[in-house]
Amino acid sequence: MSLHAAYDPDNIFAKIIRGEMPCVKVYEDDDILSFMDIFPQTEGHCLVIPKAAGATNLLDAPAEMLGTVIAGTQRIARAVAASLKPDGVRIAQFNGAPAGQTVYHLHFHILPVYEGRAVAAHENAGPAATGELKALAEKIRAAL
Ligand code: AMP
């Protein structure tokens, strides 16, 4: 999808926000939702999204929305670091299909990185068992 495409209200993340599709939730408030990535590139890979519809990517998001989402991303990244004890944390964000974006609702990736363990390539990671994702989400939540 083009970098400047119109927002599609039926994208997967919009459906998750509306409760039309399930997710393994990490955190939710009035403005943001965080849930586990179902194709995790590392153990504990989760996503943070604004709950408001309309922003396809970082370029078309209002600055206030970005501020709220990045503050939430920091909070959840700190909980990921405290609970899963990775050696590093990668924050990733893609804009437009050629850059690697596959879901067109603004989101930030939180990827805990562990020394000596590979990070699967973006768009090339296998599905995770829901039970494992729930256990990881619970650990992260406990550190929020
Ligand atoms: P991006 O490629 O940056 O647009 O990231 C989209 C991410 O959403 C990918 O890492 C996918 O694995 C992930 N993803 C796709 N569908 C779902 C879903 N239903 N629940 C959780 N994560 C998803």
Side-chain angles (χ1 to χ4, degrees), residues 62-141:
E64 317 79 62
M65 174 187 280
L66 284 180
T68 303
V69 178
I70 201 68
T73 300
Q74 181 196 47
R75 180 166 175 221
I76 294 152
R78 284 175 169 164
V80 165
S83 58
L84 306 184
K85 310 265 190 282
D87 301 293
V89 178
R90 183 182 298 175
I91 305 297
Q93 196 277 321
F94 305 91
N95 303 283
Q101 186 175 12
T102 57
V103 179
Y104 300 95
H105 177 108
L106 173 67
H107 55 281
F108 287 83
H109 297 255
I110 300 173
L111 286 154
V113 179
Y114 309 89
E115 265 171 22
R117 285 162 66 178
V119 177
H122 182 64
E123 298 182 61
N124 204 22
T130 305
E132 284 171 24
L133 294 182
K134 283 184 175 166
L136 288 161
E138 205 166 304
K139 279 190 190 176
I140 299 167
R141 226 178 3 254

Side-chain angles (χ1 to χ4, degrees), residues 12-13 16 21-23 35-41 45 47 92-94 100-105 107 109 122-123:
I12 294 171
F13 292 173
I16 288 175
M21 278 188 64
C23 73
F35 51 94
M36 303 307 292
D37 196 299
I38 52 169
F39 299 103
Q41 292 174 249
H45 179 180
L47 303 167
Q93 196 277 321
F94 305 91
Q101 186 175 12
T102 57
V103 179
Y104 300 95
H105 177 108
H107 55 281
H109 297 255
H122 182 64
E123 298 182 61

